[in-house]
Amino acid sequence: MKMRGTERNRRIAVTSMTALMAIVAAFTAGGARANARPFAYGYDSGTLPAGQHEFELWTTWRVGRNDVYSRFDHRIEYEAGVTDTLQTALYLNWSKASARDPLTGSLVSETSFGGISNEWKWKLSDPAADPVGFAAYAELTADTDEAEVELKAIVDKRIGGMILAYNATVEPEFEYDAGEIEAENVNVEHNLGLSVQVSPGFSCGVEVFEHSAYTDGKPRFAALFAGPVLHVASGRFWLTATTLIQLPALKPSVSGQRFVLDEHEKVKARILVSLPL
Amino acid sequence: MRRAGPAGRTVVLLALSGWLAACAGSIPRPAADQAVRAAGRSPGVTLESLSRGRALYVAKCSGCHALEAPAAHPEAFWAEHVPAMADRARLSGDEPALILRYLEAVRPQSR
């Protein structure tokens, strides 16, 4: 019955994408512009000016693994400009995952708190005023039994209404084990995005995302994703949405398989919205 | 993506850097003759004050949306939008004026 589930996932993805396009069309009519986040997975180098702040709501839907799997990740973010080139943010994370119980075969859902995160982003050059924009980024997440550090280098370039951005991310995972801190896994990610402003309130483009996982220095898998990204803005409100589809893996986690479907999904969709409070 | 050979990658890199270098000037640095001309219109304007205006424009106006080239809009547009954005960009004192003088000064002069 796996085929059925896959087919349904694909239909849900297509339906939600269509609904999104309709929302986008509705907002495009508005006309104002504010390009807060051009990409939903990748980052640009921009930071809020000193004293300015914003709330963002993140929703990520990840669907389709080897077996039935669907998961929503939610984050509420509060970000603030500390100086004109240094920005910090606080996140509250939680998620709801549904998967088939391997023993009973029934669908089980679980909601879990994903800890809190603290982000720092330091902008060193500007993507429009300098030859390239550059920012260094660090995010710390603390959960009850896990701590994560995410370090990112962000490079971007804006030309007219077009933006090209590349991120390289390293993420060692630490575990608290009997009072000791161990670094077991290291994740390396690459994000590439290109987006073009079509009208003042609307831009669209593509995002590519690659994730390589290493355990004790040995590569476990390298998964590759790509998909369209849309950004709409009206006044102080903006929304950025991406649907990434998994492409054949650069290194499958299970030899003989084309995709990484034990630790990743077939489809990942993310929507970021600003909450103009 | 991984399959481009070294030659292909070099061509892409060269093309990209040429393109980036060509386009780095959309937020131009003020020149001495522009400062002289601007001082004729707004007394007190100097090359330093125009450079501060550019630095403020880049630092305060790039956080929420793309910076636009000064030449992309007429003076009247900037004269309306810079004060309108002053609050959002948390500008104070003479900062809006410094940004505005910069945006006006580096626009190509109409004949």
Side-chain angles (χ1 to χ4, degrees):
Chain A
M1 288 297 96
K2 222 155 94 190
M3 287 311 290
R4 277 266 183 84
T6 312
E7 183 52 38
R8 189 166 54 224
N9 291 344
R10 199 161 295 153
R11 260 208 317 266
I12 294 172
V14 168
T15 315
S16 49
M17 213 49 206
T18 317
L20 210 67
M21 298 283 243
I23 297 173
V24 164
F27 277 111
T28 323
R33 172 188 48 81
N35 292 349
R37 279 276 303 265
F39 307 107
Y41 274 82
Y43 287 78
D44 66 321
S45 65
T47 52
L48 288 172
Q52 184 55 270
H53 53 100
E54 185 177 85
F55 283 92
E56 278 176 36
L57 200 65
W58 297 42
T59 308
T60 307
W61 184 41
R62 297 152 50 180
V63 68
R65 288 195 172 183
N66 277 324
D67 201 351
V68 177
Y69 184 85
S70 164
R71 172 179 168 135
F72 283 95
D73 294 313
H74 303 282
R75 309 185 89 180
I76 289 185
E77 176 185 10
Y78 170 73
E79 60 181 36
V82 178
T83 72
D84 290 338
T85 53
L86 182 68
Q87 174 179 301
T88 188
L90 279 175
Y91 296 86
L92 214 61
N93 312 307
W94 73 100
S95 60
K96 184 178 180 207
S98 308
R100 202 204 305 269
D101 186 317
L103 297 177
T104 64
S106 62
L107 208 63
V108 272
S109 294
E110 192 188 24
T111 301
S112 54
F113 177 59
I116 53 171
S117 313
N118 178 212
E119 162 199 312
W120 291 87
K121 189 178 179 188
W122 182 27
K123 177 180 166 180
L124 293 151
S125 64
D126 186 88
D130 299 311
V132 289
F134 184 81
Y137 174 111
E139 185 182 319
L140 293 119
T141 299
D143 203 350
T144 42
D145 54 352
E146 240 185 9
E148 262 175 42
V149 187
E150 199 180 304
L151 302 169
K152 229 184 259 296
I154 303 168
V155 181
D156 59 355
K157 181 65 198 168
R158 270 191 195 274
I159 294 167
M162 197 209 70
I163 179 165
L164 180 66
Y166 167 73
N167 306 171
T169 309
V170 183
E171 189 190 319
E173 270 174 34
F174 300 99
E175 274 188 35
Y176 315 131
D177 194 14
E180 295 200 14
I181 298 178
E182 293 174 11
E184 290 202 315
N185 303 319
V186 178
N187 296 297
V188 178
E189 296 176 0
H190 299 277
N191 290 82
L192 189 66
L194 176 74
S195 176
V196 177
Q197 191 176 319
V198 177
S199 74
F202 176 50
S203 32
C204 62
V206 287
E207 279 200 70
V208 180
F209 167 56
E210 194 253 6
H211 171 203
S212 308
Y214 298 85
T215 297
D216 300 326
K218 286 191 207 73
R220 226 162 63 239
F221 65 78
L224 186 65
F225 299 82
V229 56
L230 303 168
H231 173 82
V232 286
S234 178
R236 286 174 61 208
F237 174 84
W238 58 264
L239 174 157
T240 303
T242 297
T243 300
L244 296 179
I245 311 290
Q246 193 176 151
L247 302 178
L250 301 172
K251 179 182 181 350
S253 47
V254 179
S255 65
Q257 285 197 357
R258 284 183 76 205
F259 300 96
V260 177
L261 293 176
D262 42 4
E263 295 188 45
H264 275 293
E265 303 75 30
K266 291 167 188 158
V267 178
K268 296 178 196 283
R270 176 174 292 168
I271 297 183
L272 307 179
V273 294
S274 70
L275 297 178
L277 297 179
Chain B
M1 277 201 55
R2 286 260 163 118
R3 266 163 228 143
R9 268 195 296 251
T10 312
V11 169
V12 169
L13 273 180
L14 278 177
L16 197 66
S17 26
W19 177 60
L20 292 181
C23 297
S26 67
I27 314 293
R29 287 174 199 285
D33 62 318
Q34 289 169 330
V36 171
R37 217 179 310 133
R41 295 175 36 182
S42 327
V45 171
T46 60
L47 188 55
E48 288 75 61
S49 74
L50 292 183
S51 300
R52 252 199 85 204
R54 181 184 187 269
L56 282 167
Y57 180 56
V58 173
K60 301 284 185 183
C61 306
S62 60
C64 304
H65 48 65
L67 284 181
E68 292 192 274
H73 299 289
E75 277 188 27
F77 177 93
W78 292 121
E80 179 194 338
H81 282 95
V82 172
M85 285 287 140
D87 221 25
R88 275 196 200 150
R90 301 287 192 264
L91 301 181
S92 58
D94 60 350
E95 291 176 345
L98 285 165
I99 292 175
L100 193 54
R101 293 293 97 80
Y102 159 73
L103 292 168
E104 287 167 357
V106 297
R107 301 184 63 261
Q109 294 306 299
S110 47
R111 280 141 277 180

